[in-house]
Amino acid sequence: MRCVARTPGGGLPLRGREAESAALADGLAALVRGRGGVVVVEGPPGSGRTRLLAEVHARAVADGLPCLRGSAALDRLAVPFGPLLEALCAGPAPLLDASEPRLVRPADLRSWTLQEARARLAGAAARGPLVICLDDVQWCDSATLAALPELLADLADAPILWVLSVGPPPVAVGARVEALCRGRDRIVLGPLADRAVAELAADLLGAEPGLAVLRMAGRAQGTPRLLVELLRGLAEEGRITVRDGIATTDGGAVPRRLRELVRGRLDQVSPSARQCVRVASVFDRAFTAAELAGLVGVPVGEVAAVVEEAGGAGFLAGSDGLLGFRHDLVRQAISATLPSALRRCLRRQAVEVRLAHGGRAVDVAAELAETAAPGDHRAVDLLRRAAGDLAATAPARAAALSRRALDLAGPDGPHTAQIVAGTVELLDRDGRYAEARQRAEAALEGLLTPEAEARLRWVMARLVGHVSSAEAVRQCRTALAVPGVSAGVVARLVATEALHLSRSGYAARSIAAAGRVAVDADAAAGATALAALARAELARLNPSRALVFQDEAEARVVRASRPRALEDCARAFTLTASGRIEEALRETDEGVGAARQAGHRPAEALWAMSRARVLLDAGRLAAARVEADAALSAAGDLGSGDFADTTARYAFGRAAVHMGDEEGVRRCAADGARMAAAEAPAVRRTGTWLAALAADAAGDTARVAELIELAWADSGAPGTTPDPADLVVLARLALRAELPGLAAEAAGRAAELDAEIPFLRGVAAHARGLLTDDPDLLLQAVKVLEEAERPLVRASAAEDAGRVLGAAGDPAARGLLDSALDLYEECGAVRDAARVRRRLRALGVRRAARFSGGAGRWGLTAAEVKVALLVAQGATNRQVAERLFLSSHTVGSHLRHIFTKWNITSRVDLTRQVLELEAA
């Protein structure tokens, strides 16, 4: 059903002006009691001043009060006393015969009119109360503006209610209009409230407005006249549809009716002002008089006068040296009247004008993207510059501008390959990995120069590296086989190959490749080569050397005045391998924050996954599991790659094993089996190690024996990024699987760790003590690890020392096992705590379970309790995230766990449960 606008016949209800209407009604009531006054109704064009005066007239007539009406107009000839004479001569009982002024000599007209007006109005007021409504006083002629203050003063005691409608006055008469209004009762009309807009839309359309109609109505910004003409115009053009009593619209262009209204107002100003306003309509944002003059093609001095006229007519307004349209819908309506070719040409010229007056490429990028034509090389350069400026803070906008530059450059443009590379990087920063890869692959299938192909493959390697380090290595090697590539690009390719070789698990090859990068290579290549060496040293469990290389890599970036790569999480892993957990957590928190602030979605996902791994090492098992789950949900394409497998999935699986989560252990086993078939050795080893831990949790010793040998083979450490403490776990599993040789190898590797680092010294003592059940070495490990920031590692050492001392009948065993149990319970390691509790029972000690694990109450963790309380108070996921400084994905993960634990399915159920538990 199509909706046709109703003709109100003067009957549309007055919406959103109830308070103003009541104030005027009070004025009429006071007039009936014999007290006159002056009320000034102020507001911009279209705000409803005229309609409010009509309401006053209607009420006065209904109350039997005579009401005189007059108005000024912008296009009306400046007849002296025109509005005042109109009021006196019009109506069913005019106070003055229209022919009388014609008999007066021009020289006497002012004094005669003032005298007659005073006398006739006084006489009418003597017979009874009188209402006088004057509309658009700001456009009155100078004679009227001079006479009105005298009349108001002379007739102040008469029972006359003056209602003056005043809009924004021209500069020339602004002071006089303000003096006239000063000290009067003033009613200021602002925009209609949303509710009034919806009610007025329903009045006009005869149906409740739907969301699309309300969004369209919002373009009127609460201005009643524009809203009425906008909706009536849409209805007349058949663009309003009513179904089931709800009105909807397709939106779109400004309707003809509104364009004609604005055109009519524009025709009232002078031709020069009209031209300026039409040209100004192509500026989407505020502009200066100099910019307008440059676009119109006239000196700035000539623009000032027409700008003043346009301002007085209600089109333009100025503030702080800038000009703009009072209402953007009016600007759109005027712009729509321009021929499309002219509008496009003017908008393109406006870009150059803004640039000529000091504007930046980023300031004009949106207009440039819309107006430039294919082959416009200047536009291409400007868009690339703007994209570069926005890359660090607004990658989505930057990617859109870069894509537009690519479209304008065409497939054979001189810089197309470079633009493709930049676009790919920006799309990746915005989290659009699939689109970025598709564009890169499509470009590589085309005809490229050797240099362009090599550069693009280098970008491709960086793009795919976190998903598949093996693919990144292939891209680098393919590019290095291309002849005729510059030395700088070759250096970057070799360094990137080295980095991804280390990530793949080829430490020796990585070190060899990094050694081929010249010492004097550019900052990017040099820093990448150093990062590769840091990663290789970490894989060899040399965190001190890794930190040296990492520091030098970052220093080289700083010296070159380049920003640190937001997605570089390596330092956090090096810190946690050194036992410096709190520093690692601060590093990941800062990384998440910086990536989020910059809008770098992949970096945010990588940091969130890294944080899950650090939380695991910190013994915050429930938090690690939630963080890992949330990070994987938010990671998009990165969630199925190498980095996700070796960080988030690893953290989730290890946490599940410690917590005795059977479903989590099954998931750990499945993830491990899949990862064990991966192309990269690092991922294979991590998967095999996870599968071994899951098999141990399931009690499958034979499977454990098979898997741990595979995880250890040719690696020097199980898993990636390796945890030195896993050498102890490996030795324990090997002994349990009756593989003493493997256990000895693990202990021997632990003995090679850097003894200058207390955490590593404690791990070495623990592994050696475990190998021979040496109580002195195990007690040494407990003592060295006392201050370690790894509670699970401390608990493990205390448990082994307690086990060995208990077997020897040493009473100190109980204290050690008690300490281990406390630590395990604090971490939420249910499976480990149950094992220690069994050891204590063997010594005749019974300990009840008292888990913390971050637990708060009601069977939830502390974090889950906070989320539940806020949700029960009505907070949305986003609001909870802001309050608790979490990501929305983490909040969602917490809610899923709460729903599962409480066996509920909705936020309503959650609220009811919280209320019941709080009451209890």
Side-chain angles (χ1 to χ4, degrees):
M1 170 186 170
R2 290 287 177 184
C3 175
V4 179
R6 295 185 297 140
T7 302
L12 270 183
L14 187 63
R15 299 292 189 183
R17 302 297 187 212
E18 289 79 8
E20 294 85 348
S21 183
L24 289 168
D26 290 343
L28 287 172
L31 179 64
V32 171
R33 295 193 298 271
R35 192 178 73 215
V38 181
V39 178
V40 178
V41 180
E42 299 176 83
S47 59
R49 290 180 284 110
T50 300
R51 173 62 201 278
L52 211 52
L53 262 62
E55 188 80 3
V56 171
H57 177 267
R59 289 193 178 195
V61 171
D63 292 343
L65 299 172
C67 183
L68 310 182
R69 302 170 69 183
S71 66
L74 182 63
D75 64 339
R76 191 169 298 174
L77 292 175
V79 177
F81 301 105
L84 193 56
L85 290 173
E86 179 185 355
L88 294 171
C89 297
L95 300 184
L96 186 68
D97 191 307
S99 62
E100 291 184 55
R102 301 194 193 104
L103 304 177
V104 181
R105 291 184 309 169
D108 300 330
L109 185 60
R110 183 184 186 284
S111 60
W112 180 88
T113 302
L114 191 56
Q115 179 181 342
E116 288 299 315
R118 185 186 299 112
R120 304 295 175 97
L121 291 172
R127 295 190 294 273
L130 178 66
V131 181
I132 302 175
C133 295
L134 296 181
D135 201 2
D136 287 326
V137 169
Q138 76 279 2
W139 289 334
C140 283
D141 60 280
S142 59
T144 303
L145 288 175
L148 276 175
E150 294 186 40
L151 289 174
L152 294 178
D154 293 344
L155 299 171
D157 295 329
I160 300 176
L161 177 63
W162 298 79
V163 184
L164 310 180
S165 155
V166 180
V171 174
V173 299
R176 298 175 70 182
V177 171
E178 175 58 30
L180 175 66
C181 300
R182 191 177 299 120
R184 317 295 184 184
D185 292 335
R186 300 172 87 149
I187 294 175
V188 180
L189 301 182
L192 293 179
D194 291 344
R195 179 176 179 179
V197 169
E199 290 172 344
L200 183 52
D203 295 334
L204 285 161
L205 304 177
E208 289 299 313
L211 289 177
V213 169
L214 290 176
R215 279 196 297 269
M216 192 68 173
R219 294 171 63 183
Q221 296 177 323
T223 303
R225 181 71 185 279
L226 292 180
L227 176 60
V228 169
E229 298 304 317
L230 174 65
L231 294 182
R232 281 180 174 166
L234 291 173
E236 287 172 354
E237 294 175 12
R239 292 160 60 189
I240 298 287
T241 304
V242 176
R243 289 191 180 92
D244 300 324
I246 303 297
T248 188
T249 181
D250 59 0
V254 177
R256 180 187 300 274
R257 181 186 181 103
L258 183 56
R259 296 200 305 270
E260 292 301 324
L261 169 71
V262 175
R263 189 200 300 272
R265 284 181 50 198
L266 193 57
D267 287 342
Q268 296 174 11
V269 302
S270 67
S272 56
R274 190 180 314 137
Q275 180 193 9
C276 266
V277 171
R278 294 183 72 202
V279 170
S281 70
V282 304
F283 286 115
D284 288 340
R285 292 169 286 109
F287 50 91
T288 65
E291 289 171 340
L292 179 57
L295 191 55
V296 175
V298 299
V300 178
E302 293 183 20
V303 166
V306 293
V307 165
E308 180 180 331
E309 182 184 352
F315 289 105
L316 300 180
S319 176
D320 297 328
L322 293 175
L323 298 169
F325 279 78
R326 290 185 182 276
H327 204 294
D328 196 60
L329 188 58
V330 171
R331 183 197 64 78
Q332 294 171 33
I334 296 172
S335 180
T337 65
L338 300 174
S340 59
L342 175 61
R343 181 169 59 251
R344 187 184 187 96
C345 180
L346 284 172
R347 285 174 60 77
R348 180 65 182 87
Q349 290 178 19
V351 169
E352 297 299 335
V353 167
R354 285 193 186 275
L355 292 171
H357 286 83
R360 302 173 303 161
V362 71
D363 297 327
V364 298
E367 294 94 323
L368 195 58
E370 180 184 340
T371 59
D376 187 337
H377 297 302
R378 175 163 169 75
V380 170
D381 291 341
L382 289 168
L383 288 171
R384 291 179 66 192
R385 192 187 310 166
D389 291 343
L390 290 169
T393 55
R397 284 183 61 201
L401 295 177
S402 189
R403 283 190 301 179
R404 180 59 177 152
L406 190 58
D407 294 340
L408 295 173
D412 302 318
H415 304 295
T416 294
Q418 294 175 348
I419 302 172
V420 170
T423 303
V424 166
E425 290 187 291
L426 290 168
L427 288 170
D428 180 42
R429 285 176 69 99
D430 192 38
R432 288 180 278 177
Y433 172 84
E435 182 182 353
R437 182 160 186 167
Q438 182 272 327
R439 282 188 177 267
E441 290 173 344
L444 286 170
E445 291 175 0
L447 295 175
L448 298 173
T449 65
E451 184 81 358
E453 179 183 349
R455 283 180 177 274
L456 188 53
R457 289 195 182 278
W458 174 67
V459 170
M460 185 73 159
R462 295 171 64 203
L463 171 69
V464 303
H466 290 295
V467 175
S468 172
S469 52
E471 172 64 17
V473 170
R474 277 194 294 274
Q475 289 291 340
C476 290
R477 289 177 174 172
T478 302
L480 288 168
V482 176
V485 179
S486 68
V489 173
V490 167
R492 292 189 180 192
L493 284 165
V494 172
T496 303
E497 178 192 10
L499 178 63
H500 290 291
L501 282 169
S502 67
R503 288 176 174 171
S504 295
Y506 298 109
R509 297 183 196 177
S510 171
I511 293 171
R516 301 203 308 271
V517 179
V519 176
D520 59 351
D522 69 18
T528 303
L530 289 165
L533 292 172
R535 184 81 184 204
E537 291 297 339
L538 182 59
R540 292 177 164 188
L541 294 179
N542 296 323
S544 294
R545 285 181 56 79
L547 275 176
V548 170
F549 285 124
Q550 186 73 33
D551 289 341
E552 178 55 29
E554 293 175 10
R556 182 168 292 201
V557 169
V558 171
R559 286 197 297 270
S561 300
R562 295 170 62 92
R564 176 185 171 187
L566 285 173
E567 65 273 24
D568 181 8
C569 310
R571 176 176 287 276
F573 297 123
T574 309
L575 289 169
T576 190
S578 304
R580 294 154 65 178
I581 301 301
E582 291 303 318
E583 287 182 65
L585 280 174
R586 284 196 297 273
E587 181 83 4
T588 57
D589 288 343
E590 290 170 5
V592 169
R596 187 174 296 163
Q597 184 176 10
H600 197 315
R601 296 182 185 178
E604 184 179 350
L606 295 173
W607 277 109
M609 290 188 277
S610 301
R611 190 172 191 276
R613 168 60 196 272
V614 177
L615 286 168
L616 169 71
D617 291 345
R620 293 164 58 180
L621 299 176
R625 187 171 62 171
V626 168
E627 189 81 16
D629 204 22
L632 290 169
S633 297
D637 295 299
L638 287 177
S640 58
D642 292 356
F643 192 90
D645 282 343
T646 57
T647 54
R649 285 193 177 81
Y650 177 84
F652 187 95
R654 288 295 299 266
V657 169
H658 281 296
M659 297 172 78
D661 175 2
E662 294 183 4
E663 177 58 36
V665 170
R666 284 192 291 271
R667 176 173 159 181
C668 173
D671 284 339
R674 176 185 56 76
M675 292 161 61
E679 183 176 4
V683 181
R684 290 201 301 271
R685 286 198 296 271
T686 303
T688 303
W689 182 235
L690 273 180
L693 295 170
D696 179 60
D700 190 345
T701 305
R703 181 65 174 155
V704 170
E706 175 188 349
L707 290 170
I708 58 176
E709 287 193 296
L710 291 172
W712 174 253
D714 302 321
S715 67
T720 303
T721 303
D723 177 4
D726 277 348
L727 291 170
V728 172
V729 180
L730 176 62
R732 181 183 295 115
L733 292 179
L735 290 170
R736 195 179 299 156
E738 298 181 352
L739 296 171
L742 179 55
E745 287 183 46
R749 181 68 187 89
E752 297 171 358
L753 297 176
D754 187 352
E756 295 297 318
I757 299 176
F759 167 64
L760 299 183
R761 190 166 67 250
V763 167
H766 189 181
R768 295 198 311 275
L770 185 65
L771 188 64
T772 59
D773 275 350
D774 184 327
D776 293 331
L777 282 173
L778 291 172
L779 287 171
Q780 178 187 342
V782 171
K783 184 171 182 58
V784 172
L785 292 170
E786 276 180 346
E787 302 302 321
E789 298 173 354
R790 298 286 300 272
L792 289 172
V793 174
R794 289 164 53 204
S796 175
E799 179 186 358
D800 282 326
R803 172 182 60 78
V804 170
L805 292 179
D810 191 322
R814 174 177 173 176
L816 288 163
L817 291 174
D818 272 337
S819 175
L821 183 56
D822 288 341
L823 288 167
Y824 282 139
E825 289 186 332
E826 180 66 28
C827 294
V830 175
R831 175 171 175 261
D832 302 308
R835 183 180 61 247
V836 174
R837 206 173 286 109
R838 288 194 297 271
R839 297 190 192 283
L840 282 167
R841 280 200 298 271
L843 297 177
V845 178
R846 291 189 173 275
R847 277 273 305 268
R850 48 184 181 86
F851 280 96
S852 172
R857 45 185 172 150
W858 309 333
L860 305 179
T861 67
E864 288 166 354
V865 169
K866 293 176 183 177
V867 170
L869 288 170
L870 288 172
V871 170
Q873 294 167 16
T876 64
N877 282 19
R878 175 175 292 183
Q879 290 167 335
V880 173
E882 290 173 352
R883 290 277 297 277
L884 299 181
F885 302 100
L886 302 172
S887 72
S888 295
H889 290 285
T890 301
V891 174
S893 184
H894 279 310
L895 279 175
R896 286 193 296 275
H897 291 147
I898 294 169
F899 282 17
T900 300
K901 290 177 178 180
W902 284 357
N903 193 28
I904 57 177
T905 58
S906 72
R907 299 169 89 94
V908 174
D909 292 340
L910 182 148
T911 302
R912 185 181 299 113
Q913 183 86 337
V914 168
L915 291 174
E916 291 175 356
L917 289 167
E918 291 260 88

